[in-house]
Amino acid sequence: MIDHQAFPWTGARDAEQTGFLQQTAQRHARRRLETSQAEAARLNEAGAALMRRLRGAPPAALAAQWRDYAVDAAHRAALTLDALRQRGDVFIEHEAAGAPPVLDYAYEVAIDGADLPRPCNYMLLRITPPDGVEVFAWKRPYVIIDPRAGHGPGIGGFKPDSQVGVALRDGHPVYFVAFRPHPAPGQKLADVTHAEAHFLREVARAHPEAPKPVVVGNCQGGWATAILAARNPDLAGPIVLNGAPMSYWSGRVGQDPMRYAGGAGLGVTPALVAADLGGGLFDGADLVMNFEMLNPGRTWFRKYYDLFADPSERAIAHFLEFERWWGGFYLMTEAEIRWIVENLFVGDRLGKNEARLEVGRPIDLKAIAAPIIVFASHGDNITPPQQALNWILDTYADEREIEIHGQRIIYMVHEKVGHLGIFVSSSVAKKEHSEVASVMKTIEALAPGLYEMTIDETIGEGRDMRFKVSFYRRSFGDVAHLDDGRGEEAAFAAVARLSETLAETYDATLRPAVQALGRSAGPEMRRKLHPLRMQRWAVSSQNPALASTPALAGQARSQRNPVAQDNPFLMAERLWADAVEAGWNMLRDMRAFSMEATFYAAYATPWMLWYGRSRAERRARRAPGELRALPQVRGALAKLEEGGLAEAVVRMLVLLAGTRNDVRRDRLERSNQVLTTRRPFAAMAPAARAAMIHQQSLIAHFEPEAAIASLPHLLAEPAERREAIGLVEHIVGAPEEMEPRTKHLLQQIRGLLATPALESGAESGGVATGAPTPEARTLGRPAKRTEEPRPDQRRPAKRRAGGRSAAAEAPGA
């Protein structure tokens, strides 16, 4: 028994642990009850339909239906077995070919990481556009980094409607960062990051007229992208983190089971043992097995039953296509998997500025200069929204500090799509990824801050489909609201310290013996006998027992006459399959509950929380009151009365944006048009324009009254004042569309500048509604800045309708 009088802090900790256990039990029980009720309702409905079909059926009819069903089931069994044989053959052929990327596009190797001064198994692929698709060298390139989480590369370009396809159709050059199954000897993650930085330099060299490339990181490729941008802030343009786990301790109590795996395995030591038994290489098949155990009813039963239920050529082709990627297993060095587990999976050091690729060089996410887009989903059980977003709360003091650093962070949370759907789903590619691609065109001119992007409405169909996109300014409270509190993360800190202790003990005692055993026991044979590999090569054409399978499948395909959908025996088969999957789901949920309850019972005790307290400390952040003293803010405020027409217009737009919470689509388009084609903005380089917007945002936020009062100093001439008001009114829209606060502030500015009110903001004055001014036509080349095709390269038939629909409103007006 703990003496709470001697250790008074343990009483509160005991209550906290009890609360976690109660929440875990209640939420798991509620979800299991809801799942069971839904499954029972489906089973009851299917059972009732079966009984109605059987009731009163003549025995002769049942006999005939049984005969038809038995023949069809035999045909389906032959076709399914042959599909599994083909999967085995595909697996063997894929490995023999070196497990190339499973891209749906032709490509050429632009740079091979093996040839770099710090060799690694990564390579940069240049995607070849398919027939009928034209790309332009002056458009912003896309560089896609796929996850190295056990599988091979290619999921980002797995289908025609994919991240690759979206960018190609919009005329962008596309590059893909891929990797080979075997790492280079002694390879470290620092070598990989150096190679990726070299890749970006090569992309910039190949496209000197284009803006900095967009870098898209999928899942584990997301944290790799963030690290790349933090270590090389001068190389990347906007970065996109798709389903990327950045804060590994985060999640909701009672769900998100993947985050408890580190505690269940006692930290990094199992990965070290696995790598030592593998001759210094960690087998990615072990990671894939963890993914499969998250939903065994789907991965171990339903996907095979679905194939048996519909073994058509189309269904088999889809099955083999996915299995080619899912069954490609890649290796890591011991140094790589150790860094990943210690710094990310278990240590969660990235957001604390404690992760280091090399000695003396911590990875500071604040150093990322490029705009960041984060895409997450509530339906993702591998990377829940909290893991994708909580790094923002850990890195910055509040949303104001994001603005001070000139950063733009936009997040988007899908309601249902699962983890793989973020990269694979055609509907997501056509919708979310298409709109993200549109935002890229002007995101660097967006006012610094934290935003949520929502897709509110679909307009049109097919290739002409467009979406109504809105941006909302968000606070840290909005991001924190996605979570249910973060008190339980102290238990993960205990796991982190325990992991370090056990790893040190293993290093000092058993490790030499295990490494010797690994070298002598044949690591290649151990990998070949891994269950995920063995189930593939054992059911392949190499198995003599399956020699007759192709002939049987061909015969079944030619003779098959699918049984009627209302055949009672087929209905009974489906009922059985649903019941089996429901049983697997119950086991899944019981396993998740037991693992989470055990985790809190073991690691949320007062003593374990005390043990891990040193690892629970968060990154030291500035208090909100200290932000004004930062050099960026003081430098901006020192230039309060400096500038001219451009500074005045942007300042007014920022001030007016502060009177609203949302950003409308039409304002986005008008703002983009003004800030890229109008005098004096057309003469500015994108970086200079972004720096000016950053400066004026700081002035408007920290000294709003002085920012308004000093406008006459920026606009000394009456003609300039009229032009500035005309541009601002054009962007914000007609007076009848304005909110009262916006209208009031605009009237105040008019009075200060002694400018008469315009009759109808978007239509009056002719200042901002006609053709571009002569200066805008001659200063610079708009195509290079806005990424719109030059006149001689426009392809109206191939451009997406509403291609600029999500263009970001530069000063957030």
Side-chain angles (χ1 to χ4, degrees):
M1 294 291 292
I2 297 176
D3 185 352
H4 294 308
Q5 292 183 342
F7 304 97
W9 54 271
T10 60
R13 290 299 196 183
D14 276 341
E16 194 173 45
Q17 180 188 29
T18 302
F20 294 147
L21 291 171
Q22 287 178 344
Q23 281 186 317
T24 298
Q26 290 170 358
R27 292 177 178 176
H28 277 280
R30 182 171 62 250
R31 188 163 54 252
R32 174 90 296 265
L33 178 62
E34 293 171 353
T35 302
S36 297
Q37 288 176 338
E39 291 172 339
R42 288 196 298 270
L43 292 173
N44 288 337
E45 183 179 353
L50 175 60
M51 294 308 298
R52 288 194 299 270
R53 187 74 179 84
L54 289 172
R55 190 178 297 117
L62 286 176
Q65 289 168 339
W66 166 252
R67 182 190 65 243
D68 294 342
Y69 168 77
V71 172
D72 182 57
H75 288 160
R76 287 187 286 137
L79 292 169
T80 301
L81 181 60
D82 190 58
L84 295 177
R85 178 196 62 81
Q86 293 179 62
R87 181 185 71 164
D89 291 349
V90 167
F91 169 75
I92 294 171
E93 294 168 2
H94 191 58
E95 286 208 329
V102 294
L103 290 165
D104 191 55
Y105 300 86
Y107 59 84
E108 59 179 330
V109 178
I111 299 180
D112 192 332
D115 300 328
L116 297 178
R118 300 175 64 165
C120 66
N121 63 336
Y122 275 64
M123 51 187 170
L124 178 68
L125 309 180
R126 184 184 296 109
I127 302 299
T128 303
D131 293 340
V133 175
E134 185 179 6
V135 300
F136 303 103
W138 53 268
K139 274 203 164 191
R140 186 192 295 275
Y142 273 64
V143 178
I144 299 174
I145 301 179
D146 254 8
R148 189 164 168 232
H151 302 102
I155 197 68
F158 190 58
K159 296 181 178 181
D161 287 316
S162 62
Q163 297 165 340
V164 172
V166 166
L168 286 175
R169 284 197 299 271
D170 205 29
H172 297 273
V174 178
Y175 293 81
F176 206 93
V177 176
F179 40 88
R180 294 189 173 91
H182 288 265
Q187 178 174 307
K188 298 180 180 179
L189 283 179
D191 303 325
V192 173
T193 302
H194 277 277
E196 290 170 338
H198 190 85
F199 296 163
L200 292 187
R201 293 188 186 96
E202 168 60 20
V203 172
R205 186 201 63 77
H207 302 273
E209 296 184 6
K212 293 179 183 179
V214 174
V215 185
V216 180
N218 293 327
C219 186
Q220 302 293 339
W223 56 256
T225 297
I227 290 173
L228 173 64
R231 289 287 300 270
N232 303 275
D234 60 317
L235 297 181
I239 66 173
V240 184
L241 311 180
N242 286 322
M246 299 282 286
S247 297
Y248 287 81
W249 293 355
S250 296
R252 285 179 175 267
V253 176
Q255 62 187 59
D256 307 325
M258 276 290 282
R259 64 178 180 150
Y260 302 108
L266 301 178
V268 73
T269 302
L272 300 181
V273 173
D276 291 341
L277 291 176
L281 295 176
F282 179 82
D283 191 355
D286 292 334
L287 295 177
V288 178
M289 180 70 80
N290 288 337
F291 295 141
E292 291 203 347
M293 292 176 67
L294 279 177
N295 194 358
R298 174 64 198 170
T299 56
W300 295 349
F301 174 75
R302 174 56 73 169
K303 76 173 180 180
Y304 298 112
Y305 174 74
D306 287 346
L307 180 64
F308 173 72
D310 177 24
S312 63
E313 292 187 17
R314 181 175 179 273
I316 290 174
H318 282 304
F319 174 79
L320 295 177
E321 180 185 43
F322 181 78
E323 285 294 304
R324 182 167 170 258
W325 174 73
W326 189 257
F329 308 115
Y330 286 58
L331 309 178
M332 299 182 189
T333 63
E334 179 273 339
E336 289 179 301
I337 190 62
R338 181 167 191 164
W339 193 96
I340 292 170
V341 174
E342 287 187 334
N343 287 275
L344 304 175
F345 293 170
V346 172
D348 197 23
R349 299 172 181 171
L350 195 56
K352 302 176 185 177
N353 196 26
E354 292 181 352
R356 299 180 304 170
L357 283 177
E358 297 169 308
V359 175
R361 300 186 67 183
I363 300 165
D364 189 356
L365 297 180
K366 285 185 183 180
I368 299 176
I372 303 170
I373 294 181
V374 182
F375 182 33
S377 174
H378 289 296
D380 189 345
N381 64 344
I382 293 177
T383 305
Q386 300 80 20
Q387 289 189 15
L389 294 172
N390 277 353
W391 67 271
I392 302 171
L393 309 182
D394 294 337
T395 302
Y396 297 94
D398 58 15
E399 61 276 8
R400 183 61 58 83
E401 189 179 7
I402 295 176
E403 299 170 11
I404 291 172
H405 281 271
Q407 183 54 276
R408 301 147 184 87
I409 301 177
I410 300 173
Y411 68 89
M412 180 169 46
V413 182
H414 198 282
E415 286 300 319
K416 297 180 180 179
V417 67
H419 186 69
L420 287 181
I422 293 175
F423 326 121
V424 177
S425 172
S426 296
S427 61
V428 170
K430 292 177 182 177
K431 186 179 179 182
E432 278 80 4
H433 293 323
S434 292
E435 295 312 310
V436 167
S438 296
V439 171
M440 294 301 177
K441 297 175 182 177
T442 53
I443 189 174
E444 286 167 313
L446 181 67
L450 178 64
Y451 300 86
E452 181 180 8
M453 174 179 169
T454 64
I455 298 178
D456 305 315
E457 183 181 346
T458 302
I459 305 169
E461 297 180 355
R463 293 289 184 189
D464 295 328
M465 185 179 297
R466 59 189 294 181
F467 304 95
K468 182 179 179 182
V469 176
S470 300
F471 293 86
Y472 298 87
R473 277 196 174 269
R474 294 302 189 211
S475 67
F476 272 31
D478 295 313
V479 176
H481 185 68
L482 294 170
D483 211 332
D484 59 352
R486 304 182 68 182
E488 80 280 5
E489 293 185 15
F492 292 87
V495 177
R497 185 175 181 187
L498 178 64
S499 173
E500 296 170 12
T501 302
L502 293 178
E504 290 293 333
T505 303
Y506 172 67
D507 272 337
T509 56
L510 298 177
R511 191 163 200 191
V514 176
Q515 289 176 332
L517 177 63
R519 288 190 295 269
S520 62
E524 287 295 334
M525 181 58 66
R526 177 181 175 273
R527 284 191 280 272
K528 187 172 183 179
L529 294 178
H530 192 285
L532 293 185
R533 288 189 181 87
M534 191 164 61
Q535 65 177 251
R536 286 168 169 81
W537 60 254
V539 186
S540 69
S541 295
Q542 292 185 353
N543 187 339
L546 301 178
S548 61
T549 300
L552 291 174
Q555 183 179 1
R557 186 172 291 108
S558 64
Q559 296 179 357
R560 187 180 176 218
N561 183 21
V563 71
Q565 295 298 304
D566 63 348
N567 184 294
F569 299 99
L570 181 61
M571 296 172 67
E573 174 195 294
R574 292 171 177 165
L575 179 62
W576 166 81
D578 289 342
V580 171
E581 185 178 22
W584 274 111
N585 290 343
M586 179 173 289
L587 291 175
R588 173 202 66 196
D589 294 345
M590 290 175 61
R591 174 182 177 272
F593 166 69
S594 62
M595 183 167 68
E596 184 171 353
T598 301
F599 178 91
Y600 287 123
Y603 297 110
T605 64
W607 291 112
M608 287 302 293
L609 296 178
W610 175 86
Y611 174 73
R613 70 195 186 283
S614 61
R615 306 301 186 273
E617 296 177 355
R618 300 192 185 278
R619 176 176 182 168
R621 295 175 296 179
R622 294 179 183 274
E626 298 175 341
L627 298 178
R628 186 185 178 93
L630 290 174
Q632 301 98 311
V633 178
R634 289 189 284 108
L637 295 180
K639 299 179 179 180
L640 183 69
E641 297 185 357
E642 297 181 13
L645 177 63
E647 288 78 7
V649 169
V650 170
R651 185 183 300 183
M652 286 189 279
L653 290 173
V654 173
L655 289 165
L656 291 168
T659 63
R660 296 182 308 274
N661 185 46
D662 67 313
V663 179
R664 285 179 10 194
R665 174 189 185 132
D666 56 345
R667 291 182 184 135
L668 296 177
E669 294 175 341
R670 292 194 295 267
S671 180
N672 177 52
Q673 185 263 343
V674 166
L675 293 175
T676 54
T677 66
R678 301 291 178 184
R679 186 188 72 86
F681 303 104
M684 294 182 179
R689 186 166 54 242
M692 182 192 64
I693 294 169
H694 179 205
Q695 180 190 89
Q696 296 305 316
S697 297
L698 294 179
I699 291 172
H701 287 311
F702 280 92
E703 289 288 351
E705 294 183 2
I708 297 172
S710 59
L711 285 173
H713 294 280
L714 306 184
L715 301 168
E717 299 297 327
E720 277 192 334
R721 296 182 180 186
R722 288 193 296 271
E723 183 177 1
I725 288 293
L727 289 170
V728 170
E729 291 239 0
H730 169 61
I731 292 174
V732 299
E736 56 268 19
E737 297 177 352
M738 298 180 193
E739 295 182 9
R741 290 174 57 200
T742 307
K743 190 179 298 185
H744 175 76
L745 178 57
L746 187 56
Q747 188 61 42
Q748 180 184 349
I749 292 174
R750 286 198 198 103
L752 182 66
L753 298 177
T755 304
L758 297 176
E759 296 177 359
S760 180
E763 299 294 330
S764 59
V767 176
T769 58
T773 62
E775 293 88 342
R777 294 193 192 100
T778 58
L779 289 174
R781 185 167 59 186
K784 186 176 178 180
R785 311 205 191 286
T786 67
E787 299 188 4
E788 291 299 315
R790 290 173 286 191
D792 60 328
Q793 293 176 321
R794 288 191 182 274
R795 296 175 288 122
K798 294 181 181 179
R799 286 190 56 77
R800 287 175 46 83
R804 296 172 61 202
S805 64
E809 180 182 17

